[in-house]
Amino acid sequence: QKKEKYEDGVKWRILEHNGPYFPPEYQPLPDNVNFYYNGEKVKLSLAAEEPALFFAQMLDHEYTTKKVFRDNFFTDWREEMSHKERTLIKDLDKCDFTEIHAMHKAKVEARKNLSKEEKLALKEANQKIVDEYGYCLLDRHKERIGNFKIEPPGLFRGRGEHPKQGMLKKRIQPEDIIINCSKESSIPVPPSGHKWKEVRHDNTVTWLASWTENIQGSIKYIMLNANSKLKGEKDWEKYEVARKLKDFVDNIRKQYMTDLGSREMKKRQGAVALYFIDKLALRAGNEKEEGESADTVGCCSLRIEHITLHKQLDDKEYVVEFDFLGKDSIRYYNKVPVIKKVFKNLKLFMKNKQTGDELFDRLSTISLNKHLSSLMPGLTAKVFRTYNASITLQQQLKELSNKSDNEAEKILSYNRANRAVAVLCNHQRAPPKTFEQSMANLQAKIDARKEQLAEAKAQFKEAKKEVKSRGDSDPNVLEKKQAAVARCKEQLLKMEVQATDKEENKQIALGTSKLNYLDPRISVAWCKNMEVPVEKIYNKTQRDKFAWAIDMTEADFVF
DNA sequence: GACTCCACTTAGAAGAGCAAAG
DNA sequence: CTTTGCTCTTCTAAGTGGAGTC
């Protein structure tokens, strides 16, 4: 259906933009705000002062209590110091940032308390920046850029036990930036007095600008927003590949079941890994460089300490207990009954190994993906996550929702289906800090509404009695009373549904699956079938991103 | 195959904005 | 009008997987 517009690999013909937006220069501390070392006031050089501010700004954060963070910060900070400062400042514990910290908090507070007019002025200034830098021209379409602002300097905030947390993230200069645009287009002008590192015209990639970041040495890109045509088409393709898996999955499953008994060790490991990826929606688990990031794993990089085998657990046989840290150091904990063949294989894979050894020592994501792509063009490990997420949503929606339900109930069903996927994919969030309180508040509101309902009912009854006894009273009054009861009931139900939803959602993040794993056409079709406006399940951003699906999907769409 | 580099998607946290409650 | 609580948006880290090289 989608036409191949360009020859292989070409992403655009014309790409024109104004280059990235740079964060403001560092503003030196005012004279009345001081840094102290060992109780003595010390005037820092500008180069050393800026990192001191970064640290002071984070003083309320748990990061600054962690040894690794403090050590990394201190090492990098000392690099920025003058010789004299370095000689003096030798112990972070003797550094006193309280005045800088207080200044920062006051600034935040002041920003919050700006007048309406000042806030509006700020907003307008911001909009001007967006207008100038936030859009580009790609093949005659004006497109929103996703991240047109260069990341400001600061202290690196890695997730989990990151060995590099606290390191100084350096300020990016135009001299670090590679610009990508079409040859004929007007080339973005660097900030005055500066030059770009390079200007290139590579239409086989989609980025507009890039730079190399100093913590891991990886490349960062400026790219289009998710609502752009380019990203939308890619998204559509992703779901089409996942849909294609539907036609292959039965055979693939049969095959890995057979492979569980293969004579070849590598084949058996591949079969077990695929069993996990398919059944549990685990990530592939690429190799990682040790010491460069937190110790996290995916399927292929599982180590034997990450699973425990239980021949019998509670009333179940052959249970595998998973306990490991996945992407973003989110814990994956799950007890899963598996088939006997998988269990026996795992036992064998673990034999003669010790803590730290890989479970699948003959396997890599590369070989696994090679195998997968031989089974179906375009198939890789992550396609299973997309496929299983989307098919689960579709099946759950079918199971949970009724056309006769009211809107609130329908939306609850949708959220529950969404939640089933989020659980499958292990998308978690920290429970909101105010959770307990706001839950209690909601309960109080429900109780109040219950009383109100009782009152409304009593009044209705009273009115009825009056009509009966006198017969002449205004029938409108009776109708009104009845309507009040109905309204009350509906509101109560709505609140109760809301409470259920909230409780079940405490630690689950729905957004990630909604945005990245669930074919939007399933949701759009569901909305059409259930007569629920699409705005009820997708906010503005989501509707923009999924515009392609909202446009093309009919009620009879099947994933 | 192992190693490196690169480009792109996926991820939760934090910050901003906004609406309802007080 | 101010405060509170929630949703939406922004931010950027952390994954996946392809390609090139040896």
Side-chain angles (χ1 to χ4, degrees):
Chain A
Q1 192 203 339
K2 293 260 154 136
K3 59 284 157 192
E4 287 305 319
K5 274 206 314 197
Y6 302 130
E7 57 267 39
D8 232 19
V10 172
K11 307 288 169 56
W12 47 263
R13 288 266 176 262
I14 306 164
L15 177 61
E16 200 164 29
H17 56 94
N18 290 338
Y21 176 78
F22 288 88
E25 289 300 309
Y26 174 63
Q27 300 292 320
L29 296 179
D31 287 338
N32 61 340
V33 177
N34 295 294
F35 165 76
Y36 298 87
Y37 186 72
N38 213 3
E40 301 282 328
K41 191 185 286 185
V42 177
K43 177 74 190 156
L44 294 170
S45 63
L46 276 196
E49 194 184 271
E50 191 177 12
L53 175 62
F54 296 152
F55 192 81
Q57 280 173 339
M58 289 182 72
L59 235 38
D60 288 334
H61 203 288
E62 199 203 335
Y63 271 124
T64 57
T65 65
K66 292 191 171 179
K67 182 170 179 347
V68 179
F69 188 95
R70 295 175 70 87
D71 288 352
N72 283 333
F73 163 69
F74 198 55
T75 305
D76 280 8
W77 187 28
R78 280 170 54 84
E79 289 282 310
E80 301 299 311
M81 290 178 188
S82 67
H83 180 69
K84 208 175 128 198
E85 287 165 337
R86 199 158 35 237
T87 319
L88 175 68
I89 301 170
K90 295 213 150 121
D91 182 358
L92 183 57
D93 291 327
K94 292 182 178 155
C95 294
D96 178 356
F97 301 97
T98 47
E99 280 188 16
I100 309 178
H101 177 62
M103 178 200 76
H104 171 251
K105 285 190 84 167
K107 264 193 179 161
V108 171
E109 191 60 25
R111 193 159 0 126
K112 235 170 48 190
N113 294 331
L114 290 179
S115 72
K116 230 184 220 165
E117 295 73 35
E118 290 169 312
K119 275 184 182 163
L120 189 68
L122 224 55
K123 202 174 165 182
E124 277 168 1
N126 232 343
Q127 187 56 48
K128 236 177 112 181
I129 295 170
V130 174
D131 290 343
E132 180 164 2
Y133 294 96
Y135 296 86
C136 71
L137 209 60
L138 191 140
D139 292 349
R140 281 183 258 289
H141 286 278
K142 187 176 174 182
E143 300 277 25
R144 184 81 202 260
I145 301 170
N147 57 326
F148 59 89
K149 288 178 176 168
I150 295 290
E151 294 173 17
L155 304 184
F156 178 72
R157 296 153 94 110
R159 310 273 171 87
E161 295 303 313
H162 197 117
K164 299 193 167 187
Q165 62 186 107
M167 282 176 66
L168 183 61
K169 210 171 106 160
K170 296 241 168 80
R171 184 177 287 274
I172 305 302
Q173 302 292 346
E175 284 71 12
D176 302 317
I177 303 285
I178 301 172
I179 296 288
N180 192 34
C181 63
S182 46
K183 245 181 197 148
E184 312 71 33
S185 75
S186 61
I187 287 159
V189 183
S192 67
H194 287 280
K195 292 199 281 265
W196 302 122
K197 177 179 183 182
E198 183 192 332
V199 176
R200 66 171 76 155
H201 313 288
D202 182 355
N203 70 357
T204 67
V205 296
T206 64
W207 52 269
L208 322 190
S210 72
W211 72 92
T212 301
E213 150 274 339
N214 72 294
I215 306 287
Q216 331 249 16
S218 66
I219 308 170
K220 300 254 184 167
Y221 301 93
I222 287 182
M223 288 186 190
L224 295 186
N225 191 278
N227 66 12
S228 60
K229 207 163 153 250
L230 198 75
K231 295 275 191 190
E233 273 171 21
K234 200 82 188 294
D235 212 31
W236 175 81
E237 275 171 27
K238 173 180 82 182
Y239 290 115
E240 285 304 294
V241 172
R243 277 177 95 192
K244 202 163 59 169
L245 178 51
K246 242 186 10 173
D247 305 331
F248 288 79
V249 78
D250 289 345
N251 271 327
I252 291 173
R253 284 175 177 156
K254 243 182 250 158
Q255 161 128 75
Y256 70 62
M257 286 300 183
T258 312
D259 287 348
L260 287 172
S262 166
R263 289 216 309 279
E264 229 181 301
M265 184 60 142
K266 185 174 173 174
K267 239 182 185 170
R268 282 211 308 278
Q269 291 196 355
V272 173
L274 196 47
Y275 177 89
F276 285 163
I277 285 170
D278 185 22
K279 188 181 166 78
L280 305 172
L282 298 191
R283 294 188 185 82
N286 279 315
E287 283 173 42
K288 301 173 68 181
E289 220 178 318
E290 222 180 301
E292 289 294 301
S293 60
D295 178 21
T296 60
V297 296
C299 185
C300 292
S301 50
L302 281 169
R303 301 192 300 265
I304 62 157
E305 65 265 32
H306 297 131
I307 64 169
T308 312
L309 302 180
H310 305 276
K311 192 153 188 199
Q312 189 83 38
L313 188 70
D314 303 327
D315 54 343
K316 288 171 187 134
E317 267 193 318
Y318 304 122
V319 174
V320 184
E321 183 181 351
F322 291 83
D323 192 353
F324 63 90
L325 298 181
K327 182 177 179 180
D328 292 314
S329 293
I330 298 291
R331 186 177 180 206
Y332 184 92
Y333 183 79
N334 201 0
K335 291 177 200 159
V336 195
V338 299
I339 58 172
K340 186 173 173 184
K341 263 187 175 175
V342 166
F343 193 86
K344 294 281 174 204
N345 267 316
L346 286 169
K347 205 156 191 183
L348 188 78
F349 301 161
M350 291 168 80
K351 212 163 120 187
N352 297 325
K353 285 185 191 166
Q354 43 187 318
T355 299
D357 288 348
E358 288 200 349
L359 179 62
F360 302 116
D361 53 302
R362 307 285 172 88
L363 196 65
S364 70
T365 55
I366 297 172
S367 61
L368 181 68
N369 280 333
K370 254 185 198 150
H371 172 62
L372 289 175
S373 72
S374 78
L375 302 178
M376 179 191 113
L379 186 62
T380 62
K382 89 186 189 86
V383 176
F384 279 88
R385 246 166 106 80
T386 312
Y387 164 76
N388 278 311
S390 285
I391 206 88
T392 300
L393 178 77
Q394 184 168 76
Q395 172 258 324
Q396 286 285 302
L397 284 176
K398 196 171 172 188
E399 205 173 298
L400 297 173
S401 52
N402 296 306
K403 225 173 156 173
S404 56
D405 284 349
N406 68 29
E407 193 174 277
E409 290 167 323
K410 284 176 182 169
I411 291 167
L412 176 67
S413 301
Y414 181 87
N415 285 340
R416 282 191 165 148
N418 190 169
R419 192 146 48 234
V421 176
V423 169
L424 175 72
C425 294
N426 200 39
H427 292 142
Q428 297 188 29
R429 61 168 185 176
K433 286 197 170 64
T434 54
F435 184 85
E436 294 306 330
Q437 184 57 50
S438 77
M439 203 64 211
N441 290 352
L442 188 55
Q443 192 53 51
K445 275 203 300 198
I446 288 173
D447 292 344
R449 185 70 71 187
K450 273 184 184 161
E451 270 176 44
Q452 210 184 340
L453 177 62
E455 173 66 18
K457 272 183 178 165
Q459 277 196 27
F460 176 52
K461 216 170 158 187
E462 189 63 31
K464 241 188 346 198
K465 223 159 69 188
E466 232 166 84
V467 172
K468 228 180 197 171
S469 61
R470 296 221 313 267
D472 61 332
S473 81
D474 186 355
N476 272 339
V477 172
L478 197 59
E479 257 172 48
K480 266 187 195 160
K481 298 273 182 206
Q482 189 167 22
V485 172
R487 201 166 55 235
C488 235
K489 257 189 188 160
E490 197 183 318
Q491 280 169 340
L492 180 64
L493 183 72
K494 200 172 164 185
M495 273 153 100
E496 280 173 335
V497 162
Q498 202 188 350
T500 313
D501 205 26
K502 198 182 171 114
E503 181 64 48
E504 290 175 1
N505 231 13
K506 187 175 176 182
Q507 302 197 63
I508 313 283
L510 299 185
T512 302
S513 49
K514 209 177 197 177
L515 228 50
N516 300 301
Y517 289 102
L518 301 176
D519 188 328
R521 291 169 294 184
I522 298 170
S523 298
V524 174
W526 179 83
C527 282
K528 290 199 168 163
N529 282 317
M530 289 288 149
E531 292 169 355
V532 170
V534 77
E535 295 79 33
K536 297 283 173 183
I537 59 159
Y538 286 147
N539 68 31
K540 179 77 172 61
T541 315
Q542 293 161 344
R543 290 198 300 279
D544 280 352
K545 168 166 180 173
F546 298 133
W548 60 270
I550 294 172
D551 282 349
M552 73 193 264
T553 307
E554 305 294 339
D556 61 357
F557 174 82
V558 180
F559 177 78

